[in-house]
Amino acid sequence: MSDDAVAADSADNSIRLDVGGMTCAACAGRVERALIKVPGVGAAAVNLATETAFITLSDTATRPSELVAAVQSVGYEARLHDTSVNTPPDTKHEDRERLKVMIALALSAPLLAPMLLAPLGIETMLPGWWQFALATPVQFWLGARFYKAGWNAARHLEGNMDLLVAIGTSAAWGLSTLNLFTGHGQHAEHFYFEASSVVIALVLLGKWLEARARKGTAQAIHALQALRPTSARVLSQGREIEIPLAHVRVGDVLIIRPGERIPLDGRVLEGSSDVDESMLTGESHPVTRSPGSAVTGGSLNGEALLQVEVTAIGAQTVLSRIIELVERAQAGKAPIQRLVDRVSAVFVPTVLIIGAITALGWGLAFGDWAAAALHAVAVLVIACPCALGLATPAAVMAGTGAAARAGILIQDAPALETAHALRVIAFDKTGTLTVGKPTLQALELASGVSADALIAMVAAVQSGSEHPLARAVRNAAQSYKPAPVPVLAEVKAHPGRGISARLRGQGVNGDTEILIGSGSWIESCGGSLEAFAAPAEAHRAQGLTLAYVATRTAVADPQADPAPRSPVSVLGLLAFGDAIRPDAAQAMARLRRLGVRTVLISGDHERAAQRVARELGIDEVHAGVLPDGKAALIAQLRKDLGSGGTVGMVGDGLNDAPALAAADIGIAMGSGTDVAMHAAGITLMRNELSLIAAAIDIARRTRAKIRQNLFWAFIYNVIGIPLAALGTLSPVIAGAAMAFSSVSVVANALLLRRWRAH
């Protein structure tokens, strides 16, 4: 299938290309500008560290082949990224690069050794022709990549790192060769072969080390991709057959043996097992999955055999969506990168001018054009902008990778940078700060009434109801002692008031009717609530929902609406509330320590919202707010905060989608649903509020790494270029410093891999 056909299978208006041959920030800028010029391209973001380009199309008629051709036209390799397969590392390429580095170092060592041994009084300088024989293959064979890439840049009237290296080393080699052939180089001090060959060797070594380090920043992606099995065991006509994963279809039944990875998303048909989902959610404890439970592709089956019906394949699986989200985050550009791009656009031409001025200045001032050329070479070499191009993307890759391992999915680089500045976070109440399911919080009993008997009776009446309070009673009944269950008849719901049922043979003169409902309804039926007035008021003050239980002699007509035709005895009071998440108080405390102000926005009534805010120490409360009102309130919070920070919104990603989108950054709780992933900038893969503070923490640490990297990238050039121009740096030292700058920037970013969510 062609690239165009593959791309046509996607409904998205974005395309990802793998780009090869980029060496510095200037290269990434060239590729980006080439893609922007293609008709139908709305935006393009090229990332040096990931060697990828994300293109957003404004016209879906634009073909991927046109984009590939545009990249190739400016001298770089490009191919459509294939997300359907796991691409193994190109070990042959790595081996070739390592071999080239070793050969370059071996050929350069005899040229460098005399410089190192001379201070010790040891003279080992090789004759000129020997130096020429060692330096020439380094210059034109091992250094051919610099000429090729430098020429591609020059013919498009642009500059990059390769052009600087090619010009600088060629000048040193050319001057040495001229002296050798014209007879002016009979003395060793007139040869600069070590400058050209050692610089090339050090640059190759630096790029090789940098590539190895970059692989570490992409570790999270590789780990997620490794969760995809290549085949699946399908149950077909009573037999198990193993087929490639690409051939599995929705509705197929998979056989998952103990210890195997679950290939695709599905629903358990048979079997019960503990499933390890830690690589997807960061949850360290296995979760039990039984018939009817959903399982996620990439998770690890425990000790039992499972039969699973496939519910999603390919790009629709949770694992594929997670991988795409992390890849987009790592390939995207943080806002601070725009400054780097602007600097890179003028950096190389500026360095070429400085190099020319250095050569002319030294030559005209002292008449030593050989020394002038050598100083110009040092300027060109130390100014290579490799570290500048890697400073931001390397830190973003490491930060988002560390977050993904902890179960925190950051949608893109701007979201990462926005999160570091969070100063206000608004929370939805139900399902976010609370469990989202009402529970029986308190039970008040009339004199002589048994709690076990009352709960058993109420649970029996509510046995057929799906009302949340009915489920809460049935769940609560499991913690009480078993009591005889009455025989029920004529169960009748009374909308807005409650439920009634006839209890066979429970009364002295016949059946008894039980009433469960609101206080106003029980009073309208003739019941007195005076004995429960004090506890009822206390429970209302805590924001709990109340329901009363009463009985009376059954009426003759069971279909009639209950009315006070006989005395009503109130047996008890049930108080229901939505339990606060166990980790909520600790999570709010962590946010306060980070300097974040917390706001509760709830559609619930004032008392319920105030109770939750009081228990958790939340700074500000807004109750009775409808979904559209939440978005307006977020906008007001942003306005009040001004430019002093950003506002975040935490919700379940479903009914809170407008508010999540209205905030500077939305944080969705849940298991990575479609709505959550699209509406929120950050998705927490497990329902732990402590991950919110962790997300802010990793965002701040990543921002700090970006600043550190940019400092080191700039400081090498700010200090190195003037020293080289003044003649105090040799090309060899300049080459070593340039190579070390790139490696140090990536190594500094890799320190983020040690981060753990607490």
mmCIF file with all atom_site columns, all heavy atoms in Angstrom, residues 111 115 139 168-169 172-173 176 191-201 374 377 381 730-732 735:
data_model
loop_
_atom_site.group_PDB
_atom_site.id
_atom_site.type_symbol
_atom_site.label_atom_id
_atom_site.label_alt_id
_atom_site.label_comp_id
_atom_site.label_asym_id
_atom_site.label_entity_id
_atom_site.label_seq_id
_atom_site.pdbx_PDB_ins_code
_atom_site.Cartn_x
_atom_site.Cartn_y
_atom_site.Cartn_z
_atom_site.occupancy
_atom_site.B_iso_or_equiv
_atom_site.pdbx_formal_charge
_atom_site.auth_seq_id
_atom_site.auth_comp_id
_atom_site.auth_asym_id
_atom_site.auth_atom_id
_atom_site.pdbx_PDB_model_num
ATOM 1   N N   . LEU A 1 111 ? 48.071 12.234 15.175 1.00 0.00 ? 111 LEU A N   1
ATOM 2   C CA  . LEU A 1 111 ? 48.212 13.663 14.897 1.00 0.00 ? 111 LEU A CA  1
ATOM 3   C C   . LEU A 1 111 ? 48.075 14.491 16.172 1.00 0.00 ? 111 LEU A C   1
ATOM 4   O O   . LEU A 1 111 ? 48.704 15.545 16.314 1.00 0.00 ? 111 LEU A O   1
ATOM 5   C CB  . LEU A 1 111 ? 47.155 14.103 13.881 1.00 0.00 ? 111 LEU A CB  1
ATOM 6   C CG  . LEU A 1 111 ? 47.193 13.401 12.517 1.00 0.00 ? 111 LEU A CG  1
ATOM 7   C CD1 . LEU A 1 111 ? 46.001 13.820 11.665 1.00 0.00 ? 111 LEU A CD1 1
ATOM 8   C CD2 . LEU A 1 111 ? 48.502 13.723 11.798 1.00 0.00 ? 111 LEU A CD2 1
ATOM 9   N N   . MET A 1 115 ? 50.967 16.969 20.200 1.00 0.00 ? 115 MET A N   1
ATOM 10  C CA  . MET A 1 115 ? 50.547 18.162 20.929 1.00 0.00 ? 115 MET A CA  1
ATOM 11  C C   . MET A 1 115 ? 50.468 17.882 22.426 1.00 0.00 ? 115 MET A C   1
ATOM 12  O O   . MET A 1 115 ? 50.808 18.728 23.257 1.00 0.00 ? 115 MET A O   1
ATOM 13  C CB  . MET A 1 115 ? 49.171 18.628 20.428 1.00 0.00 ? 115 MET A CB  1
ATOM 14  C CG  . MET A 1 115 ? 49.160 19.114 19.000 1.00 0.00 ? 115 MET A CG  1
ATOM 15  S SD  . MET A 1 115 ? 47.483 19.610 18.493 1.00 0.00 ? 115 MET A SD  1
ATOM 16  C CE  . MET A 1 115 ? 47.106 20.833 19.756 1.00 0.00 ? 115 MET A CE  1
ATOM 17  N N   . GLN A 1 139 ? 39.136 13.599 6.535  1.00 0.00 ? 139 GLN A N   1
ATOM 18  C CA  . GLN A 1 139 ? 38.500 14.807 6.002  1.00 0.00 ? 139 GLN A CA  1
ATOM 19  C C   . GLN A 1 139 ? 37.438 14.487 4.959  1.00 0.00 ? 139 GLN A C   1
ATOM 20  O O   . GLN A 1 139 ? 36.323 15.029 5.015  1.00 0.00 ? 139 GLN A O   1
ATOM 21  C CB  . GLN A 1 139 ? 39.572 15.712 5.383  1.00 0.00 ? 139 GLN A CB  1
ATOM 22  C CG  . GLN A 1 139 ? 39.053 17.043 4.872  1.00 0.00 ? 139 GLN A CG  1
ATOM 23  C CD  . GLN A 1 139 ? 38.681 17.965 6.014  1.00 0.00 ? 139 GLN A CD  1
ATOM 24  O OE1 . GLN A 1 139 ? 39.366 18.020 7.028  1.00 0.00 ? 139 GLN A OE1 1
ATOM 25  N NE2 . GLN A 1 139 ? 37.582 18.689 5.860  1.00 0.00 ? 139 GLN A NE2 1
ATOM 26  N N   . GLY A 1 168 ? 35.220 25.136 8.130  1.00 0.00 ? 168 GLY A N   1
ATOM 27  C CA  . GLY A 1 168 ? 36.325 25.268 9.080  1.00 0.00 ? 168 GLY A CA  1
ATOM 28  C C   . GLY A 1 168 ? 37.395 24.220 8.890  1.00 0.00 ? 168 GLY A C   1
ATOM 29  O O   . GLY A 1 168 ? 38.602 24.538 8.806  1.00 0.00 ? 168 GLY A O   1
ATOM 30  N N   . THR A 1 169 ? 37.013 22.960 8.813  1.00 0.00 ? 169 THR A N   1
ATOM 31  C CA  . THR A 1 169 ? 38.019 21.893 8.670  1.00 0.00 ? 169 THR A CA  1
ATOM 32  C C   . THR A 1 169 ? 38.681 21.923 7.293  1.00 0.00 ? 169 THR A C   1
ATOM 33  O O   . THR A 1 169 ? 39.873 21.598 7.156  1.00 0.00 ? 169 THR A O   1
ATOM 34  C CB  . THR A 1 169 ? 37.376 20.515 8.918  1.00 0.00 ? 169 THR A CB  1
ATOM 35  O OG1 . THR A 1 169 ? 36.305 20.311 7.988  1.00 0.00 ? 169 THR A OG1 1
ATOM 36  C CG2 . THR A 1 169 ? 36.850 20.405 10.335 1.00 0.00 ? 169 THR A CG2 1
ATOM 37  N N   . ALA A 1 172 ? 41.484 24.407 7.416  1.00 0.00 ? 172 ALA A N   1
ATOM 38  C CA  . ALA A 1 172 ? 42.681 23.904 8.107  1.00 0.00 ? 172 ALA A CA  1
ATOM 39  C C   . ALA A 1 172 ? 43.407 22.871 7.246  1.00 0.00 ? 172 ALA A C   1
ATOM 40  O O   . ALA A 1 172 ? 44.650 22.905 7.112  1.00 0.00 ? 172 ALA A O   1
ATOM 41  C CB  . ALA A 1 172 ? 42.284 23.290 9.450  1.00 0.00 ? 172 ALA A CB  1
ATOM 42  N N   . TRP A 1 173 ? 42.661 21.953 6.647  1.00 0.00 ? 173 TRP A N   1
ATOM 43  C CA  . TRP A 1 173 ? 43.283 20.925 5.794  1.00 0.00 ? 173 TRP A CA  1
ATOM 44  C C   . TRP A 1 173 ? 43.888 21.555 4.541  1.00 0.00 ? 173 TRP A C   1
ATOM 45  O O   . TRP A 1 173 ? 45.004 21.208 4.135  1.00 0.00 ? 173 TRP A O   1
ATOM 46  C CB  . TRP A 1 173 ? 42.229 19.883 5.413  1.00 0.00 ? 173 TRP A CB  1
ATOM 47  C CG  . TRP A 1 173 ? 42.783 18.769 4.557  1.00 0.00 ? 173 TRP A CG  1
ATOM 48  C CD1 . TRP A 1 173 ? 43.319 17.593 4.979  1.00 0.00 ? 173 TRP A CD1 1
ATOM 49  C CD2 . TRP A 1 173 ? 42.860 18.748 3.124  1.00 0.00 ? 173 TRP A CD2 1
ATOM 50  N NE1 . TRP A 1 173 ? 43.736 16.830 3.914  1.00 0.00 ? 173 TRP A NE1 1
ATOM 51  C CE2 . TRP A 1 173 ? 43.468 17.509 2.755  1.00 0.00 ? 173 TRP A CE2 1
ATOM 52  C CE3 . TRP A 1 173 ? 42.490 19.643 2.124  1.00 0.00 ? 173 TRP A CE3 1
ATOM 53  C CZ2 . TRP A 1 173 ? 43.694 17.162 1.419  1.00 0.00 ? 173 TRP A CZ2 1
ATOM 54  C CZ3 . TRP A 1 173 ? 42.732 19.294 0.791  1.00 0.00 ? 173 TRP A CZ3 1
ATOM 55  C CH2 . TRP A 1 173 ? 43.320 18.055 0.454  1.00 0.00 ? 173 TRP A CH2 1
ATOM 56  N N   . SER A 1 176 ? 47.137 23.459 5.277  1.00 0.00 ? 176 SER A N   1
ATOM 57  C CA  . SER A 1 176 ? 48.232 22.519 5.553  1.00 0.00 ? 176 SER A CA  1
ATOM 58  C C   . SER A 1 176 ? 48.712 21.863 4.265  1.00 0.00 ? 176 SER A C   1
ATOM 59  O O   . SER A 1 176 ? 49.929 21.717 4.027  1.00 0.00 ? 176 SER A O   1
ATOM 60  C CB  . SER A 1 176 ? 47.764 21.444 6.542  1.00 0.00 ? 176 SER A CB  1
ATOM 61  O OG  . SER A 1 176 ? 47.313 22.023 7.736  1.00 0.00 ? 176 SER A OG  1
ATOM 62  N N   . PHE A 1 191 ? 51.842 22.952 9.727  1.00 0.00 ? 191 PHE A N   1
ATOM 63  C CA  . PHE A 1 191 ? 50.804 21.968 9.403  1.00 0.00 ? 191 PHE A CA  1
ATOM 64  C C   . PHE A 1 191 ? 49.703 21.993 10.468 1.00 0.00 ? 191 PHE A C   1
ATOM 65  O O   . PHE A 1 191 ? 49.998 22.059 11.669 1.00 0.00 ? 191 PHE A O   1
ATOM 66  C CB  . PHE A 1 191 ? 51.403 20.554 9.322  1.00 0.00 ? 191 PHE A CB  1
ATOM 67  C CG  . PHE A 1 191 ? 52.411 20.387 8.228  1.00 0.00 ? 191 PHE A CG  1
ATOM 68  C CD1 . PHE A 1 191 ? 53.598 19.701 8.464  1.00 0.00 ? 191 PHE A CD1 1
ATOM 69  C CD2 . PHE A 1 191 ? 52.169 20.907 6.964  1.00 0.00 ? 191 PHE A CD2 1
ATOM 70  C CE1 . PHE A 1 191 ? 54.533 19.543 7.453  1.00 0.00 ? 191 PHE A CE1 1
ATOM 71  C CE2 . PHE A 1 191 ? 53.098 20.750 5.947  1.00 0.00 ? 191 PHE A CE2 1
ATOM 72  C CZ  . PHE A 1 191 ? 54.289 20.073 6.195  1.00 0.00 ? 191 PHE A CZ  1
ATOM 73  N N   . TYR A 1 192 ? 48.468 21.962 9.988  1.00 0.00 ? 192 TYR A N   1
ATOM 74  C CA  . TYR A 1 192 ? 47.313 22.011 10.910 1.00 0.00 ? 192 TYR A CA  1
ATOM 75  C C   . TYR A 1 192 ? 46.372 20.834 10.644 1.00 0.00 ? 192 TYR A C   1
ATOM 76  O O   . TYR A 1 192 ? 45.166 20.931 10.798 1.00 0.00 ? 192 TYR A O   1
ATOM 77  C CB  . TYR A 1 192 ? 46.560 23.333 10.742 1.00 0.00 ? 192 TYR A CB  1
ATOM 78  C CG  . TYR A 1 192 ? 47.489 24.528 10.714 1.00 0.00 ? 192 TYR A CG  1
ATOM 79  C CD1 . TYR A 1 192 ? 47.810 25.159 9.511  1.00 0.00 ? 192 TYR A CD1 1
ATOM 80  C CD2 . TYR A 1 192 ? 48.071 24.984 11.884 1.00 0.00 ? 192 TYR A CD2 1
ATOM 81  C CE1 . TYR A 1 192 ? 48.678 26.236 9.468  1.00 0.00 ? 192 TYR A CE1 1
ATOM 82  C CE2 . TYR A 1 192 ? 48.951 26.057 11.863 1.00 0.00 ? 192 TYR A CE2 1
ATOM 83  C CZ  . TYR A 1 192 ? 49.244 26.687 10.654 1.00 0.00 ? 192 TYR A CZ  1
ATOM 84  O OH  . TYR A 1 192 ? 50.120 27.739 10.634 1.00 0.00 ? 192 TYR A OH  1
ATOM 85  N N   . PHE A 1 193 ? 47.003 19.728 10.179 1.00 0.00 ? 193 PHE A N   1
ATOM 86  C CA  . PHE A 1 193 ? 46.175 18.553 9.876  1.00 0.00 ? 193 PHE A CA  1
ATOM 87  C C   . PHE A 1 193 ? 45.443 18.040 11.125 1.00 0.00 ? 193 PHE A C   1
ATOM 88  O O   . PHE A 1 193 ? 44.335 17.516 11.032 1.00 0.00 ? 193 PHE A O   1
ATOM 89  C CB  . PHE A 1 193 ? 47.037 17.438 9.281  1.00 0.00 ? 193 PHE A CB  1
ATOM 90  C CG  . PHE A 1 193 ? 47.492 17.713 7.884  1.00 0.00 ? 193 PHE A CG  1
ATOM 91  C CD1 . PHE A 1 193 ? 48.845 17.878 7.591  1.00 0.00 ? 193 PHE A CD1 1
ATOM 92  C CD2 . PHE A 1 193 ? 46.561 17.796 6.847  1.00 0.00 ? 193 PHE A CD2 1
ATOM 93  C CE1 . PHE A 1 193 ? 49.263 18.130 6.294  1.00 0.00 ? 193 PHE A CE1 1
ATOM 94  C CE2 . PHE A 1 193 ? 46.989 18.036 5.540  1.00 0.00 ? 193 PHE A CE2 1
ATOM 95  C CZ  . PHE A 1 193 ? 48.334 18.212 5.269  1.00 0.00 ? 193 PHE A CZ  1
ATOM 96  N N   . GLU A 1 194 ? 46.111 18.162 12.301 1.00 0.00 ? 194 GLU A N   1
ATOM 97  C CA  . GLU A 1 194 ? 45.458 17.671 13.515 1.00 0.00 ? 194 GLU A CA  1
ATOM 98  C C   . GLU A 1 194 ? 44.194 18.466 13.811 1.00 0.00 ? 194 GLU A C   1
ATOM 99  O O   . GLU A 1 194 ? 43.210 17.939 14.331 1.00 0.00 ? 194 GLU A O   1
ATOM 100 C CB  . GLU A 1 194 ? 46.436 17.716 14.705 1.00 0.00 ? 194 GLU A CB  1
ATOM 101 C CG  . GLU A 1 194 ? 46.576 19.050 15.402 1.00 0.00 ? 194 GLU A CG  1
ATOM 102 C CD  . GLU A 1 194 ? 47.422 20.042 14.594 1.00 0.00 ? 194 GLU A CD  1
ATOM 103 O OE1 . GLU A 1 194 ? 48.094 19.610 13.633 1.00 0.00 ? 194 GLU A OE1 1
ATOM 104 O OE2 . GLU A 1 194 ? 47.415 21.227 14.919 1.00 0.00 ? 194 GLU A OE2 1
ATOM 105 N N   . ALA A 1 195 ? 44.186 19.749 13.450 1.00 0.00 ? 195 ALA A N   1
ATOM 106 C CA  . ALA A 1 195 ? 43.005 20.575 13.701 1.00 0.00 ? 195 ALA A CA  1
ATOM 107 C C   . ALA A 1 195 ? 41.810 20.061 12.903 1.00 0.00 ? 195 ALA A C   1
ATOM 108 O O   . ALA A 1 195 ? 40.707 19.904 13.437 1.00 0.00 ? 195 ALA A O   1
ATOM 109 C CB  . ALA A 1 195 ? 43.285 22.029 13.353 1.00 0.00 ? 195 ALA A CB  1
ATOM 110 N N   . SER A 1 196 ? 42.030 19.767 11.617 1.00 0.00 ? 196 SER A N   1
ATOM 111 C CA  . SER A 1 196 ? 40.907 19.327 10.788 1.00 0.00 ? 196 SER A CA  1
ATOM 112 C C   . SER A 1 196 ? 40.436 17.930 11.166 1.00 0.00 ? 196 SER A C   1
ATOM 113 O O   . SER A 1 196 ? 39.242 17.682 11.349 1.00 0.00 ? 196 SER A O   1
ATOM 114 C CB  . SER A 1 196 ? 41.305 19.360 9.306  1.00 0.00 ? 196 SER A CB  1
ATOM 115 O OG  . SER A 1 196 ? 42.356 18.443 9.055  1.00 0.00 ? 196 SER A OG  1
ATOM 116 N N   . SER A 1 197 ? 41.376 16.990 11.309 1.00 0.00 ? 197 SER A N   1
ATOM 117 C CA  . SER A 1 197 ? 40.966 15.605 11.551 1.00 0.00 ? 197 SER A CA  1
ATOM 118 C C   . SER A 1 197 ? 40.417 15.406 12.962 1.00 0.00 ? 197 SER A C   1
ATOM 119 O O   . SER A 1 197 ? 39.426 14.685 13.153 1.00 0.00 ? 197 SER A O   1
ATOM 120 C CB  . SER A 1 197 ? 42.144 14.662 11.304 1.00 0.00 ? 197 SER A CB  1
ATOM 121 O OG  . SER A 1 197 ? 43.220 14.985 12.156 1.00 0.00 ? 197 SER A OG  1
ATOM 122 N N   . VAL A 1 198 ? 41.042 16.014 13.958 1.00 0.00 ? 198 VAL A N   1
ATOM 123 C CA  . VAL A 1 198 ? 40.564 15.844 15.334 1.00 0.00 ? 198 VAL A CA  1
ATOM 124 C C   . VAL A 1 198 ? 39.202 16.503 15.514 1.00 0.00 ? 198 VAL A C   1
ATOM 125 O O   . VAL A 1 198 ? 38.334 15.966 16.212 1.00 0.00 ? 198 VAL A O   1
ATOM 126 C CB  . VAL A 1 198 ? 41.593 16.401 16.342 1.00 0.00 ? 198 VAL A CB  1
ATOM 127 C CG1 . VAL A 1 198 ? 41.012 16.390 17.757 1.00 0.00 ? 198 VAL A CG1 1
ATOM 128 C CG2 . VAL A 1 198 ? 42.871 15.592 16.297 1.00 0.00 ? 198 VAL A CG2 1
ATOM 129 N N   . VAL A 1 199 ? 38.988 17.641 14.886 1.00 0.00 ? 199 VAL A N   1
ATOM 130 C CA  . VAL A 1 199 ? 37.672 18.281 14.975 1.00 0.00 ? 199 VAL A CA  1
ATOM 131 C C   . VAL A 1 199 ? 36.594 17.364 14.402 1.00 0.00 ? 199 VAL A C   1
ATOM 132 O O   . VAL A 1 199 ? 35.540 17.150 15.007 1.00 0.00 ? 199 VAL A O   1
ATOM 133 C CB  . VAL A 1 199 ? 37.673 19.644 14.249 1.00 0.00 ? 199 VAL A CB  1
ATOM 134 C CG1 . VAL A 1 199 ? 36.234 20.112 13.995 1.00 0.00 ? 199 VAL A CG1 1
ATOM 135 C CG2 . VAL A 1 199 ? 38.410 20.677 15.077 1.00 0.00 ? 199 VAL A CG2 1
ATOM 136 N N   . ILE A 1 200 ? 36.852 16.797 13.228 1.00 0.00 ? 200 ILE A N   1
ATOM 137 C CA  . ILE A 1 200 ? 35.865 15.894 12.625 1.00 0.00 ? 200 ILE A CA  1
ATOM 138 C C   . ILE A 1 200 ? 35.637 14.677 13.519 1.00 0.00 ? 200 ILE A C   1
ATOM 139 O O   . ILE A 1 200 ? 34.497 14.253 13.754 1.00 0.00 ? 200 ILE A O   1
ATOM 140 C CB  . ILE A 1 200 ? 36.323 15.462 11.220 1.00 0.00 ? 200 ILE A CB  1
ATOM 141 C CG1 . ILE A 1 200 ? 36.191 16.638 10.256 1.00 0.00 ? 200 ILE A CG1 1
ATOM 142 C CG2 . ILE A 1 200 ? 35.507 14.264 10.724 1.00 0.00 ? 200 ILE A CG2 1
ATOM 143 C CD1 . ILE A 1 200 ? 36.675 16.357 8.854  1.00 0.00 ? 200 ILE A CD1 1
ATOM 144 N N   . ALA A 1 201 ? 36.739 14.113 14.063 1.00 0.00 ? 201 ALA A N   1
ATOM 145 C CA  . ALA A 1 201 ? 36.605 12.949 14.939 1.00 0.00 ? 201 ALA A CA  1
ATOM 146 C C   . ALA A 1 201 ? 35.781 13.291 16.180 1.00 0.00 ? 201 ALA A C   1
ATOM 147 O O   . ALA A 1 201 ? 34.915 12.511 16.600 1.00 0.00 ? 201 ALA A O   1
ATOM 148 C CB  . ALA A 1 201 ? 37.984 12.428 15.335 1.00 0.00 ? 201 ALA A CB  1
ATOM 149 N N   . LEU A 1 374 ? 43.433 29.790 11.031 1.00 0.00 ? 374 LEU A N   1
ATOM 150 C CA  . LEU A 1 374 ? 43.242 28.857 12.139 1.00 0.00 ? 374 LEU A CA  1
ATOM 151 C C   . LEU A 1 374 ? 42.270 29.425 13.177 1.00 0.00 ? 374 LEU A C   1
ATOM 152 O O   . LEU A 1 374 ? 41.404 28.711 13.701 1.00 0.00 ? 374 LEU A O   1
ATOM 153 C CB  . LEU A 1 374 ? 44.595 28.555 12.787 1.00 0.00 ? 374 LEU A CB  1
ATOM 154 C CG  . LEU A 1 374 ? 44.720 27.190 13.471 1.00 0.00 ? 374 LEU A CG  1
ATOM 155 C CD1 . LEU A 1 374 ? 44.507 26.068 12.471 1.00 0.00 ? 374 LEU A CD1 1
ATOM 156 C CD2 . LEU A 1 374 ? 46.095 27.052 14.123 1.00 0.00 ? 374 LEU A CD2 1
ATOM 157 N N   . VAL A 1 377 ? 38.816 29.165 11.829 1.00 0.00 ? 377 VAL A N   1
ATOM 158 C CA  . VAL A 1 377 ? 38.331 27.786 11.950 1.00 0.00 ? 377 VAL A CA  1
ATOM 159 C C   . VAL A 1 377 ? 37.788 27.537 13.354 1.00 0.00 ? 377 VAL A C   1
ATOM 160 O O   . VAL A 1 377 ? 36.724 26.931 13.531 1.00 0.00 ? 377 VAL A O   1
ATOM 161 C CB  . VAL A 1 377 ? 39.461 26.782 11.624 1.00 0.00 ? 377 VAL A CB  1
ATOM 162 C CG1 . VAL A 1 377 ? 39.041 25.360 11.995 1.00 0.00 ? 377 VAL A CG1 1
ATOM 163 C CG2 . VAL A 1 377 ? 39.824 26.853 10.157 1.00 0.00 ? 377 VAL A CG2 1
ATOM 164 N N   . VAL A 1 381 ? 33.967 26.334 14.310 1.00 0.00 ? 381 VAL A N   1
ATOM 165 C CA  . VAL A 1 381 ? 33.733 25.032 14.935 1.00 0.00 ? 381 VAL A CA  1
ATOM 166 C C   . VAL A 1 381 ? 32.990 25.162 16.260 1.00 0.00 ? 381 VAL A C   1
ATOM 167 O O   . VAL A 1 381 ? 32.030 24.441 16.527 1.00 0.00 ? 381 VAL A O   1
ATOM 168 C CB  . VAL A 1 381 ? 35.066 24.278 15.118 1.00 0.00 ? 381 VAL A CB  1
ATOM 169 C CG1 . VAL A 1 381 ? 34.864 23.026 15.974 1.00 0.00 ? 381 VAL A CG1 1
ATOM 170 C CG2 . VAL A 1 381 ? 35.633 23.896 13.767 1.00 0.00 ? 381 VAL A CG2 1
ATOM 171 N N   . SER A 1 730 ? 42.247 26.835 20.338 1.00 0.00 ? 730 SER A N   1
ATOM 172 C CA  . SER A 1 730 ? 42.635 26.126 19.122 1.00 0.00 ? 730 SER A CA  1
ATOM 173 C C   . SER A 1 730 ? 41.408 25.429 18.548 1.00 0.00 ? 730 SER A C   1
ATOM 174 O O   . SER A 1 730 ? 40.435 25.169 19.263 1.00 0.00 ? 730 SER A O   1
ATOM 175 C CB  . SER A 1 730 ? 43.705 25.075 19.442 1.00 0.00 ? 730 SER A CB  1
ATOM 176 O OG  . SER A 1 730 ? 43.130 23.994 20.172 1.00 0.00 ? 730 SER A OG  1
ATOM 177 N N   . PRO A 1 731 ? 41.404 25.097 17.263 1.00 0.00 ? 731 PRO A N   1
ATOM 178 C CA  . PRO A 1 731 ? 40.271 24.368 16.684 1.00 0.00 ? 731 PRO A CA  1
ATOM 179 C C   . PRO A 1 731 ? 39.988 23.041 17.388 1.00 0.00 ? 731 PRO A C   1
ATOM 180 O O   . PRO A 1 731 ? 38.835 22.623 17.498 1.00 0.00 ? 731 PRO A O   1
ATOM 181 C CB  . PRO A 1 731 ? 40.706 24.146 15.229 1.00 0.00 ? 731 PRO A CB  1
ATOM 182 C CG  . PRO A 1 731 ? 41.646 25.263 14.944 1.00 0.00 ? 731 PRO A CG  1
ATOM 183 C CD  . PRO A 1 731 ? 42.384 25.492 16.231 1.00 0.00 ? 731 PRO A CD  1
ATOM 184 N N   . VAL A 1 732 ? 41.025 22.367 17.867 1.00 0.00 ? 732 VAL A N   1
ATOM 185 C CA  . VAL A 1 732 ? 40.819 21.092 18.547 1.00 0.00 ? 732 VAL A CA  1
ATOM 186 C C   . VAL A 1 732 ? 40.024 21.297 19.828 1.00 0.00 ? 732 VAL A C   1
ATOM 187 O O   . VAL A 1 732 ? 39.063 20.575 20.115 1.00 0.00 ? 732 VAL A O   1
ATOM 188 C CB  . VAL A 1 732 ? 42.171 20.414 18.849 1.00 0.00 ? 732 VAL A CB  1
ATOM 189 C CG1 . VAL A 1 732 ? 41.963 19.179 19.734 1.00 0.00 ? 732 VAL A CG1 1
ATOM 190 C CG2 . VAL A 1 732 ? 42.865 20.029 17.559 1.00 0.00 ? 732 VAL A CG2 1
ATOM 191 N N   . GLY A 1 735 ? 36.481 22.163 18.955 1.00 0.00 ? 735 GLY A N   1
ATOM 192 C CA  . GLY A 1 735 ? 35.700 20.990 18.558 1.00 0.00 ? 735 GLY A CA  1
ATOM 193 C C   . GLY A 1 735 ? 35.275 20.166 19.753 1.00 0.00 ? 735 GLY A C   1
ATOM 194 O O   . GLY A 1 735 ? 34.141 19.675 19.821 1.00 0.00 ? 735 GLY A O   1
#
